[in-house]
Amino acid sequence: MSAGVVQSEEYRNNQKRKDGFISIFIGIFAFVWIFPILWTVFTSLRPYNDVISYGIFSWPRHINFNNYVNAVKEMHIGIYLTNSLIVTVPSVILTLFFGSLIAFVVTRYQFKFNLWLLLLFTAGNMLPIVLTYIPVFWMFLWVGDQLGNRNLLYNNYAGLILVHVGFQVGFATFVLSSYMKTIPKEISESAKIDGANVFRHYWNVILPLLRPALAALSVLMSTWIYNEFFWALVLMSDDSKRPITSALRRLQGQYVTDFNLLAAGAIIAASPTVILFFVLRKQFIAGLTLGSTKG
Amino acid sequence: MSEEKNVLSRRTVLKGAAIGGAGLAAGGALSAGTATSARAAGADIHWTTRGGGDTGDKIAKAVNDAFTAKTGTKVIAQQVNSDDFQNNFAQIMQGSPDDAFGWMAGWRSNHYGEAGLLADVTAQNKALTSLPASAVQAATNPVDKKQYIIPTTYYPWGLHYRKSMVKKIGMNPEKIQHWDDLIKMMTLTKKNGLVAYAMGDKQGWEAMGTFDILNARVNGYKYHIDLLNGRAKWTDAKTKETFKYFAQLIPFMNPNFMDIDWDGCRDLLLQKMCGAMMMGSWFANDFKAKSQADYNDLWVVPFPEINKAHGIDTIDAPLDGISVAAHGKNVEGGKALAQFWGSKEGINAAIGAGDTNIYVSKDFDSSGYDAFGKQKLAVLGSAKNIMFFADRDSRGDFAGPILGPALQSFMKNPKNVNKILENTQAQWEALPKN
């Protein structure tokens, strides 16, 4: 008996040591991971002049929020933030809508080309977007010219939203179909027996059950689309229509760039996604594990 | 189940979808509407400011407003990031470009002009009688003899140092004139434990400034331009001679030249940690920001003479100007606006709004310049041949992707010079002919 207690105490101590070791290990990694962000915050609080006069690694002479004040002033943040919203909100909603429609059809109904359809949508994801830039650019111009207005898609919010929907819908389909496979078939069968048509089956039966998946995906997609810069840069020739990422480019000069100001701007631009993450962090984590058990 | 509570309700999602969908349709219709009404009117002129932040906007507004006051034509201006504009230039020009914009002379205007993306502004340059013949010549495409840019401003590349530091090592800061002076200055600086020749070539273009001027000093302007355009060979003994001088500089450089950008070099000079720095004169304001004393200490001279036959007759002075999009909605309006930017009224409006650039035009009044500003003008005036920097004097697909890395590998391993030059020549020959 006593031997058992001693053994278990030894075991407990062992476990404690292990835990301590793991904590230190995790702590180190957490620090390494967060260090660039901390350094950005630190940089953003220092005046430019301080850094170029005494070096990046020097002890700070001045710490203040002037960079933030100047960044807000120079970034014209209102315009760009509005643009980001104009692009992000419809893009996310349309992506989820179309993605769930496709996922619904390929998982709930049996067709010969089911798997191929799913593969097609997923394979599109593997293509680096830069490869498709020139074709998309010419296609946008061509469509615009055919309809008599060159700026129908190119240099227009509608075009940018369309591109985002097009490129994100594959991933949305993939995730949503994995999730949908976990919904019991019997639900669909009883819906059909009760006389629900296809749309009713989708809208009143499946969609409500998709809520957790939709919420998780919408958080992920908002972050991605909000942070996206490439398409906005190449498909919008008017800077006044570009999203928040373009506001940051305003802070960079042709030769001289004030990196302290830029750091402050970067933190301002990143804050909406960070806030979104903290508000919806449960969905975010759910999103990371979504479909990991099936599909 | 508890998670479910945090989830957006289906109604909200659906409501959002409806609003979003409607918004998309409305947004499309709305912006399409404004786009057609604004662009198709044809009367307004669209202008792009290439970078510059709030100062850039202010200068553009001053000049464009002056144009509007004079002609009654409205100018709609926007600012874009300089690098983004440059990197996407071909696409922007083929899409729905603004009518006129700030741009760069040399290959970058000649090439796009030949490709039919920039409008011919030869007539406008002719009308601007105060432009010096050399500037107009520099803005002319050597192939089709047309001009695709109205030259406005330029800045010199020179040898920068602090007067106080040169005095401290017992030399006269006004008399760094020959290669031997430079070697002596660098040797003494190095003896004091400092970096003698600051170099930061992380991005690959910075060292081109040193290469350009060495080649021009050793072999002259004509050979340099011939070399950059394939009329002379990289494997030529003359080119190798240039690299012999380049190799002499390397022991004086900071060993971390591959890790820092040009602004790392500037910081070395600002912090009194280096002796000399070959760089474009665009950073003087950073010295002023630190203190007036630091600014007064900063000096620039033409790169010292190496070969008597060529003296100091050449300088890297990239020329900027205004170009007009060939596919803009209002090409004639764009040309008129571009011409106004190059005219006396335009220049005065820009300077009144805080423009610190040096204009090539004879109408440009530099009497208000301080000592450093006057010295910059003197450096510019010392040369009769103007290079635009390797990345504008040569093809875009040669300078950045081939010459830049070649210079980097040369500085890392100067003994390999023959192999590197053979490689460079082979890569030039492999470029598509156009």
Side-chain angles (χ1 to χ4, degrees):
Chain A
M1 230 8 192
S2 63
V5 172
V6 170
Q7 214 174 19
S8 100
E9 212 162 75
E10 205 173 71
Y11 173 78
R12 231 183 283 143
N13 285 343
N14 225 343
Q15 199 59 30
K16 247 186 206 164
R17 231 176 297 135
K18 258 190 211 160
D19 284 352
F21 184 71
I22 289 171
S23 302
I24 291 168
F25 209 64
I26 291 175
I28 290 170
F29 272 98
F31 181 75
V32 167
W33 195 85
I34 206 158
F35 180 76
I37 297 165
L38 287 181
W39 191 262
T40 310
V41 173
F42 172 61
T43 306
S44 71
L45 295 173
R46 303 181 66 185
Y48 176 60
N49 204 3
D50 224 42
V51 173
I52 61 169
S53 307
Y54 305 108
I56 303 164
F57 299 105
S58 62
W59 189 252
R61 264 75 168 175
H62 304 93
I63 289 278
N64 56 42
F65 285 96
N66 290 354
N67 283 324
Y68 286 89
V69 177
N70 292 337
V72 168
K73 248 189 257 163
E74 284 217 14
M75 279 165 84
H76 299 187
I77 204 158
I79 306 168
Y80 293 109
L81 211 53
T82 316
N83 291 343
S84 280
L85 282 180
I86 293 175
V87 173
T88 310
V89 173
S91 300
V92 171
I93 290 165
L94 288 172
T95 307
L96 293 182
F97 179 63
F98 290 127
S100 63
L101 276 180
I102 300 160
F104 169 70
V105 173
V106 295
T107 53
R108 294 285 128 178
Y109 293 88
Q110 296 300 321
F111 296 113
K112 256 190 204 149
F113 49 84
N114 250 357
L115 189 66
W116 290 108
L117 204 63
L118 191 60
L119 266 179
L120 187 74
F121 274 96
T122 325
N125 256 353
M126 308 292 167
L127 211 62
I129 54 164
V130 272
L131 280 185
T132 59
Y133 155 41
I134 295 291
V136 166
F137 171 74
W138 283 114
M139 193 170 72
F140 273 26
L141 285 186
W142 182 81
V143 169
D145 286 343
Q146 293 305 306
L147 298 172
N149 176 12
R150 182 156 259 234
N151 291 345
L152 189 72
L153 294 175
Y154 176 71
N155 195 20
N156 197 334
Y157 296 119
L160 197 54
I161 292 169
L162 199 65
V163 159
H164 283 314
V165 172
F167 278 90
Q168 298 293 356
V169 92
F171 180 75
T173 308
F174 177 67
V175 171
L176 289 175
S177 66
S178 304
Y179 186 84
M180 249 184 245
K181 280 177 191 159
T182 64
I183 300 174
K185 264 207 178 84
E186 289 74 12
I187 295 180
S188 293
E189 283 163 3
S190 44
K192 278 181 216 161
I193 289 168
D194 285 346
N197 62 21
V198 176
F199 188 74
R200 200 178 174 87
H201 178 190
Y202 162 74
W203 192 255
N204 293 46
V205 179
I206 298 296
L207 210 53
L209 292 172
L210 274 185
R211 273 188 295 184
L214 289 178
L217 257 184
S218 66
V219 177
L220 276 178
M221 299 252 154
S222 310
T223 320
W224 287 344
I225 295 174
Y226 180 87
N227 282 333
E228 206 280 334
F229 183 49
F230 176 75
W231 288 116
L233 179 66
V234 297
L235 294 179
M236 288 288 198
S237 65
D238 285 356
D239 194 67
S240 60
K241 291 186 197 162
R242 287 188 189 146
I244 187 82
T245 27
S246 188
L248 283 180
R249 299 295 275 167
R250 260 188 84 83
L251 303 178
Q252 281 172 286
Q254 188 183 357
Y255 299 110
V256 186
T257 296
D258 177 346
F259 285 102
N260 303 80
L261 185 68
L262 194 60
I267 286 171
I268 293 170
S271 50
T273 43
V274 175
I275 292 167
L276 190 72
F277 172 77
F278 278 110
V279 171
L280 296 169
R281 70 175 177 281
K282 266 191 187 152
Q283 279 73 30
F284 199 85
I285 289 158
L288 294 177
T289 53
L290 211 61
S292 58
T293 51
K294 177 126 189 178
Chain B
M1 263 296 118
S2 65
E3 278 198 8
E4 292 275 300
K5 280 184 189 146
N6 281 312
V7 165
L8 297 168
S9 88
R10 178 177 58 99
R11 267 166 217 283
T12 345
V13 170
L14 297 182
K15 241 186 252 165
I19 294 167
L24 173 67
L30 213 133
S31 30
T34 47
T36 39
S37 62
R39 297 266 160 127
D44 295 343
I45 303 168
H46 288 258
W47 165 266
T48 300
T49 308
R50 216 157 44 87
D54 283 351
T55 322
D57 280 341
K58 214 173 119 198
I59 294 165
K61 190 174 182 317
V63 180
N64 291 337
D65 283 354
F67 178 78
T68 306
K70 191 183 169 195
T71 61
T73 312
K74 207 175 140 205
V75 181
I76 299 158
Q78 67 157 334
Q79 183 177 141
V80 295
N81 178 278
S82 174
D83 290 342
D84 296 340
F85 186 68
Q86 188 183 326
N87 295 338
N88 295 298
F89 190 73
Q91 280 74 43
I92 293 171
M93 287 300 120
Q94 291 173 81
S96 46
D98 285 345
D99 302 305
F101 41 86
W103 192 232
M104 298 168 266
W107 188 86
R108 287 181 197 156
S109 57
N110 296 338
H111 173 75
Y112 293 115
E114 275 174 52
L117 296 180
L118 296 179
D120 180 4
V121 290
T122 313
Q124 280 68 34
N125 276 336
K126 200 171 249 174
L128 288 168
T129 47
S130 52
L131 283 179
S134 60
V136 176
Q137 181 56 38
T140 307
N141 181 1
V143 179
D144 60 12
K145 309 289 173 209
K146 285 180 191 165
Q147 292 145 26
Y148 298 105
I149 190 163
I150 294 172
T152 52
T153 64
Y154 63 164
Y155 61 87
W157 272 69
L159 195 70
H160 293 81
Y161 49 79
R162 277 171 173 268
K163 284 194 270 191
S164 64
M165 290 173 74
V166 176
K167 269 187 204 142
K168 216 171 140 193
I169 56 170
M171 292 181 73
N172 183 350
E174 311 280 340
K175 287 237 155 61
I176 306 293
Q177 290 168 335
H178 296 275
W179 178 253
D180 297 340
D181 298 334
L182 179 63
I183 294 285
K184 188 179 162 199
M185 175 182 161
M186 291 194 300
T187 313
L188 291 171
T189 314
K190 201 180 173 188
K191 225 178 244 168
N192 286 348
L194 301 176
V195 175
Y197 190 90
M199 173 62 74
D201 198 31
K202 189 175 162 189
Q203 301 192 40
W205 58 266
E206 295 97 331
M208 291 179 198
T210 298
F211 167 72
D212 280 353
I213 201 68
L214 283 173
N215 199 30
R217 290 285 182 267
V218 174
N219 295 314
Y221 171 75
K222 193 179 169 302
Y223 181 82
H224 179 69
I225 296 297
D226 284 350
L227 179 66
L228 287 179
N229 290 284
R231 295 187 291 269
K233 281 201 187 310
W234 289 88
T235 43
D236 196 302
K238 283 175 126 181
T239 315
K240 284 181 185 163
E241 182 70 15
T242 300
F243 279 90
K244 272 182 202 153
Y245 282 93
F246 205 150
Q248 289 184 51
L249 290 176
I250 295 172
F252 294 106
M253 290 178 189
N254 41 310
N256 67 340
F257 58 79
M258 286 296 289
D259 305 329
I260 58 174
D261 289 328
W262 77 267
D263 48 5
C265 302
R266 173 211 50 200
D267 294 352
L268 287 177
L269 194 61
L270 201 59
Q271 294 159 26
K272 299 194 178 181
M273 285 158 68
C274 76
M277 159 183 171
M278 183 69 196
M279 193 57 63
S281 261
W282 58 65
F283 56 88
N285 279 340
D286 294 333
F287 275 67
K288 214 179 224 170
K290 194 181 173 201
S291 78
Q292 189 62 34
D294 284 289
Y295 179 70
N296 292 343
D297 200 20
L298 179 66
W299 203 238
V300 57
V301 293
F303 194 86
E305 174 189 308
I306 294 176
N307 180 344
K308 258 215 167 69
H310 303 297
I312 52 163
D313 66 353
T314 307
I315 192 170
D316 248 334
L319 181 64
D320 289 345
I322 316 293
S323 284
V324 179
H327 302 308
K329 282 268 149 64
N330 188 353
V331 178
E332 287 315 308
K335 284 181 180 176
L337 180 63
Q339 184 177 338
F340 184 79
W341 273 76
S343 71
K344 188 172 184 175
E345 296 150 283
I347 295 169
N348 287 341
I351 289 170
D355 191 356
T356 54
N357 281 308
I358 300 172
Y359 279 80
V360 291
S361 169
K362 287 173 202 154
D363 291 329
F364 171 58
D365 174 21
S366 61
S367 54
Y369 266 43
D370 55 21
F372 184 76
K374 289 215 169 87
Q375 177 66 9
K376 276 208 301 198
L377 289 174
V379 170
L380 278 169
S382 68
K384 69 172 201 286
N385 301 312
I386 291 184
M387 307 182 286
F388 291 160
F389 205 71
D391 64 353
R392 300 197 205 176
D393 285 326
S394 185
R395 300 169 55 142
D397 51 4
F398 176 73
I402 300 173
L403 180 58
L407 293 178
Q408 285 176 333
S409 49
F410 167 71
M411 287 192 296
K412 276 191 275 189
N413 195 355
K415 285 205 181 81
N416 250 351
V417 60
N418 287 335
K419 211 174 152 206
I420 292 166
L421 290 179
E422 272 164 32
N423 200 352
T424 308
Q425 182 63 30
Q427 290 191 69
W428 171 273
E429 276 155 20
L431 287 175
K433 309 280 174 283
N434 56 359

